[in-house]
Amino acid sequence: MYLSIPAARIRFEMEKMDVHPVGIELMAPKADVQPLKLFKVRTPAANIIKQEMLALDGDCVTPRDVVNGALAEADIILLGNVRQYRLLIKKLATMANWFGIQKVMDDLWEFLQKQEPVTVLADGRKLTYEKLRVMGILNVTPDSFYAGSRISGEKALLERAGDMLQEGADLLDIGGESTRPGADPVSPEEEIRRVTGALKLLRKEFPKAVLSVDTYHADTAEAALEAGADIINDVTAGTGDGNMLNVAGRAKAPMVLMHMRGTPKTMVTAENKQYHNVVGDVAQYLLDRVDACAAVGLGKDKLILDPGLGFAKDVQGNLALCNGLAELTGHGMPVLLAGSRKGFIGEVLGGLPASNRLEGTMALSACAVYAGAQLVRVHDVKQNVRLIRMLEAIRACQ
């Protein structure tokens, strides 16, 4: 008779066996191998790290042409636990000035410190993530891909927002231009008119609500912040408008950085949907954008990462991102999964229209819980909140 024990439950099992607390502290880390991928490590450093990890009873995965020096640099994967990574840093310290090893040490320290994500709004309020936060979608557009999300009129907007907040939404995301595949852009004036009118109404009616504006236009973002928005949700991660990062930086406003290739009009091309490793490629892009944000004073407490489901990804790419979502977490920034009622759900489930994709959306919310993400963006707040809270209760029970 035997039990296969997940690493996450090893402390609980040892406590139930009445293992001495000192023994638990010594042995629990040995059960938890935490693979860690490092990008663009110089080849000499990769070979040094390989040997040092082997000496620590761990290992380091390298591409085949690293050992013979045929590559100038490569991605590597460390196979070790927290104790081994701490010892590795000590060993590397004597070589910190060689082959970019200091950068490797910096990355290891950042991983070991495990900074808890927090989002600081411009007015000083903080979003914390002791539970998965839910962002409700409010589309003040006539052409959103999901007809059930389109809102027309002030009364309808306030009623929908009030319902979402009562059902458990932690944030409301207001969009004035559809970014569905193939969508045409609207004029800046029209987008500003739509979102600022909605934001002013919502801020007046729900003064404590956390409001996000879904736009990739800097002028719209600036006007939205003045009208009451707290967060900029940019599907281009600040690349669609060269002034966007400056607007966010001046206002000290948090940004959602989403991965996309091309524009909503062109992202559907086969070329834009081709990836070497979709999870790794998306993660590397988003972390590069984090560095760009740091240059204008936007630190990690001002950034939220979104892998961009449905944006320049085919069905398999979207599913791979969901399956690999946990790889995006752990950088001290919240991760947002935004796949509500999107087309790939319909394709997986046999060609269902957007109106019949609720259950598939809820599966994505479950995926977010188990991956350790911090936010989901959904059309149907009540159903997703209930699913999430039930799963969190199950996972909290030891």
Side-chain angles (χ1 to χ4, degrees), residues 18-30:
D18 199 26
V19 176
H20 192 283
V22 174
I24 292 175
E25 292 304 317
L26 287 172
M27 289 182 281
K30 296 180 180 181

Side-chain angles (χ1 to χ4, degrees), residues 211-237:
L211 305 178
S212 169
V213 60
D214 183 0
T215 185
Y216 54 94
H217 301 293
D219 289 346
T220 302
E222 191 164 31
L225 293 171
E226 292 175 359
D230 299 298
I231 297 171
I232 302 168
N233 183 5
D234 185 347
V235 298
T236 72

Side-chain angles (χ1 to χ4, degrees), residues 360-381:
T361 299
M362 293 168 70
L364 298 187
S365 291
C367 168
V369 172
Y370 280 92
Q374 285 73 34
L375 301 109
V376 292
R377 180 179 180 271
V378 298
H379 297 93
D380 310 279
V381 170

Side-chain angles (χ1 to χ4, degrees), residues 383-394:
Q383 295 89 337
N384 283 278
V385 166
R386 288 178 177 177
L387 172 88
I388 290 164
R389 298 296 169 247
M390 190 67 202
L391 283 177
E392 288 175 337
I394 292 169

Side-chain angles (χ1 to χ4, degrees), residues 305-376:
L305 307 182
D306 178 353
L309 297 183
F311 287 79
K313 288 94 180 174
D314 59 18
V315 172
Q316 290 304 311
N318 287 309
L319 295 175
L321 279 169
C322 293
N323 191 41
L325 186 62
E327 294 184 32
L328 298 179
T329 66
H331 294 281
M333 291 166 286
V335 172
L336 165 67
L337 191 66
S340 184
R341 294 184 179 266
K342 287 187 175 178
F344 78 97
I345 297 174
E347 292 188 52
V348 169
L349 298 179
L352 294 179
S355 58
N356 288 341
R357 298 173 191 163
L358 173 58
E359 298 89 345
T361 299
M362 293 168 70
L364 298 187
S365 291
C367 168
V369 172
Y370 280 92
Q374 285 73 34
L375 301 109
V376 292

Side-chain angles (χ1 to χ4, degrees), residues 10-44:
I10 193 67
R11 286 181 179 272
F12 171 79
E13 292 291 344
M14 286 195 286
E15 288 169 358
K16 290 299 181 183
M17 289 169 56
D18 199 26
V19 176
H20 192 283
V22 174
I24 292 175
E25 292 304 317
L26 287 172
M27 289 182 281
K30 296 180 180 181
D32 190 12
V33 173
Q34 299 185 49
L36 191 63
K37 185 174 183 179
L38 301 176
F39 292 98
K40 297 182 179 179
V41 177
R42 291 173 61 184
T43 293

Side-chain angles (χ1 to χ4, degrees), residues 165-313:
L165 292 170
Q166 188 173 19
E167 291 165 356
D170 301 288
L171 307 86
L172 299 176
D173 190 46
I174 295 87
E177 176 182 318
S178 176
T179 52
R180 75 186 191 283
D184 291 314
V186 301
S187 70
E189 295 79 13
E190 176 62 15
E191 186 191 23
I192 290 172
R193 185 191 67 79
R194 291 175 181 177
V195 299
T196 56
L199 285 163
K200 288 175 182 177
L201 279 171
L202 293 169
R203 180 54 69 211
K204 181 179 179 180
E205 185 72 15
F206 309 107
K208 295 183 179 180
V210 179
L211 305 178
S212 169
V213 60
D214 183 0
T215 185
Y216 54 94
H217 301 293
D219 289 346
T220 302
E222 191 164 31
L225 293 171
E226 292 175 359
D230 299 298
I231 297 171
I232 302 168
N233 183 5
D234 185 347
V235 298
T236 72
T239 64
D241 187 321
N243 198 36
M244 180 65 88
L245 297 189
N246 291 326
V247 167
R250 286 195 301 269
K252 295 182 169 56
M255 282 190 67
V256 177
L257 303 177
M258 197 198 80
H259 175 274
M260 178 175 67
R261 288 176 173 173
T263 67
K265 191 73 173 177
T266 65
M267 66 183 177
V268 295
T269 63
E271 181 181 3
N272 278 334
K273 294 180 180 180
Q274 293 299 313
Y275 298 86
H276 172 65
N277 169 0
V278 65
V279 177
D281 293 351
V282 168
Q284 192 166 6
Y285 171 86
L286 290 175
L287 294 176
D288 285 343
R289 296 307 300 157
V290 169
D291 291 340
C293 290
V296 297
L298 293 172
K300 290 185 175 183
D301 61 353
K302 298 290 186 182
L303 301 175
I304 297 169
L305 307 182
D306 178 353
L309 297 183
F311 287 79
K313 288 94 180 174

